[in-house]
Amino acid sequence: MSEDEQALDIAIGRYAELLAANLNAQREIHFPPDARKFMRSLTSGEAAELLGVDHTYLRKLHRENKIPDVQMTGGNHRRYTLDDVGEIRKILESNAKKPGTYLPGRRDGETLQVISVVNFKGGSGKTTTSAHLAQRLALKGFRVLAIDLDPQASFSALHGIQPETDLLDGGTLYDAVRYDDPVPIRDVIRKTYIRDLDLIPGNLELMEFEHETPAAIQKGGAKAFFARVSDALDIIEADYDVVVIDCPPQLGFLTMSALSASSGVLVTVHPQMLDLMSMSQFLRMTADLLGIIRDAGANLRFDWLRFLPTRYKVGDAPQTEVVTFIRSLFGRSVMVNHMVESTAISDAGLTKQTLYEAERKDFTRTTFERALDSMNAVNDEIAALIQTTWGRDGTKI
């Protein structure tokens, strides 16, 4: 190695250490070592929306003592914790005429839904999509496991886990799918601060799977890797209704193993022509690789595949034209709803929050509500797909 190459390596290493140290300092300012993220309480309107009832009906239930009362503010307004909402949901379900009216999760004979959120290119809103989808499903009453399969671990950071400091001894999915001495998957599952949402975090250790898989394929063939995620999920299959996997922005062994375990695939699409060109290559490579692992014995049966336009600027003519173009090609495989680009989403991300965690009062009302309505429409459309896959009427979500 030349002196110039050594100097470059040293410089990059210093940059990495400098950035990590400053990120950790920022974290300690906003999130001290003993701090833990928590979910804020909800207004009666928010609680009613999650329960699928009118807020006046919710007040009536309180007046008639049919549901437990909750904390009252100084202004005599009710505030609900997620546990409050969960208990009320159970009471409403026990009195419902139709099973599943308030508890939308699996019933006997229904299969675990595994949703991989994928894109070949960074910046498409993949992690934002994954995080809001996982949280919304949990808030609506599904039992959700989220898996951060991206070595960059933005999903984990968004949920209060700093990979550089909190995962020094492992704790990612790699531990459960590694080829030598894997641990039980339950050992790497963490409870989050959101009821019914568990998490398997990610970090750079996940790259070890990419490095080790070629040797494993030489030994045991393609089956050595494509069933790793599926086999791990089989162990905890009965514990969840939905698994949401935030895949890395590349078509490597991690993504292929996740796709091999999936029942649904959500492809995020930033509606710009360069991104479409990148997606074209992604789809072509995916089809070729899926064909190879199917020939090797993989059971690839997606219940659905959808394209989700993300970071969509309302009123932007070129983006609208691109979305129209995609829809003309893929028809009903394109989501009806789009995820809009919004300063509310990016501003919430600055404090490691999603729209569901952030307080409305911290944002311009119309901006926040437009972003939230868009996010809910997207996630509820996916929830309806899940219900339809189970043979139910998905329009009730």
Side-chain angles (χ1 to χ4, degrees):
M1 182 182 295
S2 70
E3 290 185 4
D4 288 344
E5 289 173 328
Q6 287 180 329
L8 179 60
D9 290 352
I10 292 171
I12 292 174
R14 286 176 178 169
Y15 292 149
E17 292 176 5
L18 182 63
L19 182 57
N22 278 271
L23 286 174
N24 194 45
Q26 287 293 317
R27 184 200 185 202
E28 290 187 359
I29 293 172
H30 299 289
F31 303 100
D34 58 344
R36 294 291 181 270
K37 289 194 70 176
F38 62 91
M39 181 66 185
R40 63 179 176 82
S41 61
L42 308 174
T43 65
S44 60
E46 290 173 320
E49 191 273 331
L50 290 178
L51 292 166
V53 301
D54 188 87
H55 71 279
T56 56
Y57 178 64
L58 190 59
R59 288 202 297 267
K60 178 175 181 288
L61 293 174
H62 280 298
R63 285 198 307 270
E64 297 175 354
N65 295 318
K66 292 183 177 179
I67 56 176
D69 218 336
V70 297
Q71 178 187 1
M72 302 290 286
T73 67
N76 208 31
H77 297 291
R78 290 186 174 88
R79 298 291 295 193
Y80 297 76
T81 66
L82 293 187
D83 284 339
D84 292 333
V85 174
E87 291 307 308
I88 294 171
R89 193 188 301 279
K90 289 179 182 177
I91 294 171
L92 293 177
E93 178 68 19
S94 67
N95 294 311
K97 295 179 180 178
K98 183 180 178 182
T101 302
Y102 299 99
L103 286 172
R106 296 164 64 193
R107 303 173 202 161
D108 290 344
E110 295 175 341
T111 58
L112 175 69
Q113 295 296 293
V114 182
I115 302 171
S116 283
V117 184
V118 299
N119 190 287
F120 189 62
K121 194 171 183 290
S124 67
K126 177 178 60 61
T127 296
T128 299
T129 299
S130 302
H132 284 85
L133 173 61
Q135 290 189 5
R136 177 67 172 178
L137 291 175
L139 292 172
K140 293 289 284 185
F142 293 88
R143 300 171 301 160
V144 182
L145 172 64
I147 301 177
D148 190 351
L149 211 57
D150 188 343
Q152 297 178 75
S154 298
F155 189 106
S156 302
L158 193 59
H159 287 83
I161 296 173
Q162 195 66 30
E164 297 92 341
T165 56
D166 295 339
L167 299 173
L168 296 177
D169 297 320
T172 72
L173 189 68
Y174 170 71
D175 294 333
V177 299
R178 58 188 302 165
Y179 298 100
D180 61 316
D181 196 25
V183 304
I185 190 172
R186 284 193 175 89
D187 290 358
V188 295
I189 294 176
R190 299 178 177 221
K191 292 290 182 184
T192 72
Y193 47 91
I194 294 179
R195 181 188 172 104
D196 292 328
L197 176 59
D198 292 349
L199 170 66
I200 299 178
N203 70 0
L204 286 173
E205 183 184 52
L206 287 164
M207 288 303 298
E208 295 298 321
F209 188 77
E210 302 287 352
H211 300 151
E212 295 169 0
T213 295
I217 291 175
Q218 282 189 331
K219 280 186 180 180
K223 191 174 182 180
F225 89 90
F226 68 68
R228 304 299 287 184
V229 173
S230 178
D231 289 347
L233 291 178
D234 283 345
I235 297 171
I236 46 89
E237 182 269 343
D239 299 342
Y240 300 98
D241 303 314
V242 184
V243 177
V244 176
I245 305 178
D246 183 24
C247 293
Q250 63 188 49
L251 196 57
F253 296 117
L254 284 168
T255 300
M256 296 306 297
S257 191
L259 288 173
S260 299
S262 298
S263 56
V265 179
L266 187 64
V267 183
T268 54
V269 185
H270 186 212
Q272 291 190 349
M273 195 53 66
L274 286 177
D275 292 78
L276 275 192
M277 294 167 64
S278 173
M279 189 177 76
S280 174
Q281 296 301 313
F282 168 75
L283 293 175
R284 183 174 298 168
M285 291 171 61
T286 302
D288 291 343
L289 290 172
L290 288 177
I292 292 171
I293 64 174
R294 183 179 283 109
D295 291 343
N299 183 21
L300 298 172
R301 293 184 180 177
F302 303 142
D303 292 320
W304 53 267
L305 182 149
R306 292 291 186 276
F307 297 92
L308 170 64
T310 58
R311 297 175 55 203
Y312 175 67
K313 296 180 181 178
V314 178
D316 185 294
Q319 286 200 3
T320 301
E321 186 176 339
V322 169
V323 171
T324 302
F325 174 67
I326 300 170
R327 198 174 297 282
S328 70
L329 294 176
F330 302 144
R332 294 181 63 185
S333 292
V334 181
M335 296 275 290
V336 173
N337 297 286
H338 310 151
M339 184 186 295
V340 301
E341 183 168 60
S342 173
T343 56
I345 297 172
S346 55
D347 288 350
L350 291 174
T351 53
K352 296 182 181 177
Q353 291 182 308
T354 66
L355 292 179
Y356 300 127
E357 301 171 72
E359 291 276 8
R360 290 174 187 248
K361 62 181 177 60
D362 295 333
F363 301 84
T364 303
R365 180 177 177 179
T366 54
T367 300
F368 184 85
E369 290 184 351
R370 182 168 59 246
L372 185 64
D373 288 346
S374 165
M375 197 70 73
N376 285 344
V378 166
N379 293 330
D380 291 351
E381 185 178 343
I382 296 169
L385 276 173
I386 293 170
Q387 294 275 309
T388 301
T389 299
W390 285 334
R392 307 187 208 164
D393 183 0
T395 62
K396 301 299 182 184
I397 290 294

